[in-house]
Amino acid sequence: MKPLPSRAMSFIGGLLAATALLVSAPVRADKEKVLNVYNWADYIASDTIKNFEKETGIKVRYDNFDSNEVLHAKLIAGRTGYDIVVPGSHFAKMQIEGGLFMPLDKSKLPNLKNLDPAIQAQLAKLDPRNEHVVDWLWGFTTVGINADKVKKALGNLPMPDNAWDLVFKPEYASKLKGCGISFLDTSSEVIPIALKYIGKDPRSKNPDDYKAVGEMLKAVRPYVTRFAGSGSDYIDQMARGELCAVVGWSGDVYIAKDRSAKAKQPQALEVLLPKSGALLFFDVMAIPKDAPHPDNAHKWIDYILRPEVHASLTNAVFYANPNKEARRFVKPALANDPAVFPDAAALGSMITPDVADQATRRLITRTFTNFKSGR
Ligand code: N2P
């Protein structure tokens, strides 16, 4: 990810500002002091909403969704009533192309200047000129383990070279079943990872590759003890030592570790960076086209983009933020942890999901449904 030269950036910025002045309607505050936010569970600091409400007098209604698939279905149906939604960037691309989001009024977002130009350039590939979405936090889908329990369960078997073996290879998974293996309940993340694991293109369109991945998954299915979405209790299960390996989201594993320490029952939870690659995600804020309170939504986005606020999200939930001015407010232990801010080599090894065409999406969904039901 190379930052754009700053002169080019300010030229583009200037152009955009000029256009915004020409086309934006007179500034009008939303009549109702309400903001409806739809986000992933366990993805915000305990004081974020409270502070925003106090400062603006806007009441925040905050709901959680389980997966991109769930959010996408709602957005397609329309009239969600939400002012802010937070899809993963690969789903956001589809949603932008489908005209489901309102363009941002950048004149209301002075804190956009705080964003890391490298991340903005990355997102511009799916949202030309960064017109619709702003990154909330980012992280990766990977293997998390309870190191003590895994060691014990494996006995004489050494840790595999590729951490994905723990959950994809019967030789390992069969040993871990007794202490619990959880998979995320999301086809769009598990299937590309599984494809890459068996040496196929994670974005393959070839039905034979999906057949091969289905067979690999079928062999490991008897050892998977649960499927979990965001907002399910898999974080608490990890924190209680009831799971020894998960296909999970990076920060969630650390949230569990933190909870276990606070409960004075510390678990040796670790976020691994597997050899065949984790899956990188950027979760982005967007305003649905029919949002009832778009002005309040802009206020929210600009508030989140304050360096202290963005840093406080990272400090609370262990996911990286896209805010270059926020780094100095991030706890040093997190700022220097490659499982929170992966280095360039780790980033280079990660899978970046793309938008699949409809036929491929059907293959992905069918392969995953069969996996879950053991077919
Ligand atoms: C929820 C984290 C969700 C990130 N704690 C997955 N996009």
Side-chain angles (χ1 to χ4, degrees), residues 307-368:
E308 301 85 336
V309 176
H310 236 152
S312 75
L313 300 183
T314 298
N315 289 334
V317 296
F318 309 95
Y319 287 94
N321 66 69
N323 194 312
K324 66 180 187 326
E325 303 303 325
R327 281 299 166 96
R328 62 203 148 103
F329 300 110
V330 173
K331 290 180 194 155
L334 304 188
N336 299 319
D337 186 337
V340 181
F341 290 93
D343 60 22
L347 282 174
S349 77
M350 288 190 197
I351 304 166
T352 45
D354 196 13
V355 186
D357 56 68
Q358 241 187 14
T360 309
R361 284 223 304 285
R362 266 202 295 275
L363 277 173
I364 293 174
T365 314
R366 196 179 324 130
T367 308
F368 194 67

Side-chain angles (χ1 to χ4, degrees), residues 198-232:
I198 61 166
K200 309 285 185 196
D201 176 358
R203 303 169 174 197
S204 172
K205 295 184 198 302
N206 182 348
D208 291 342
D209 292 346
Y210 288 88
K211 202 162 158 258
V213 99
E215 274 156 24
M216 182 279 280
L217 289 171
K218 189 174 178 183
V220 87
R221 177 65 185 89
Y223 314 118
V224 178
T225 56
R226 73 164 300 179
F227 288 86
S230 169
S232 73

Side-chain angles (χ1 to χ4, degrees), residues 148 171 182 205:
D148 294 342
E171 187 189 353
S182 173
K205 295 184 198 302

Side-chain angles (χ1 to χ4, degrees), residues 89-160:
S89 60
H90 54 301
F91 272 78
K93 179 170 193 249
M94 257 187 301
Q95 292 150 1
I96 292 165
E97 286 168 2
L100 299 175
F101 297 144
M102 204 179 269
L104 299 170
D105 180 345
K106 296 191 183 188
S107 70
K108 294 180 182 162
L109 301 171
N111 288 328
L112 281 175
K113 66 177 187 309
N114 298 335
L115 287 169
D116 182 342
I119 290 181
Q120 287 294 79
Q122 190 73 12
L123 290 177
K125 291 184 194 161
L126 52 99
D127 178 25
R129 296 171 300 281
N130 301 107
E131 264 175 358
H132 300 86
V133 301
V134 175
D135 187 58
W136 167 263
L137 293 172
W138 59 275
F140 50 99
T141 312
T142 192
V143 184
I145 58 164
N146 187 319
D148 294 342
K149 291 191 191 279
V150 166
K151 214 168 154 208
K152 204 163 148 213
L154 291 185
N156 294 331
L157 193 62
M159 273 292 276

Side-chain angles (χ1 to χ4, degrees), residues 277-291:
L279 179 138
L280 181 65
F281 59 76
F282 294 92
D283 292 325
V284 296
M285 294 181 272
I287 308 176
K289 187 131 223 159
D290 54 2

Side-chain angles (χ1 to χ4, degrees), residues 11-29:
F11 171 70
I12 297 167
L15 262 185
L16 284 173
T19 328
L21 276 181
L22 288 176
V23 299
S24 68
V27 182
R28 167 191 73 82

Side-chain angles (χ1 to χ4, degrees), residues 40-43 189 230 235 249 252 255 281 283 319:
W40 306 81
D42 300 292
Y43 218 24
E189 296 177 45
S230 169
I235 296 183
W249 292 306
D252 286 10
I255 294 176
F281 59 76
D283 292 325
Y319 287 94

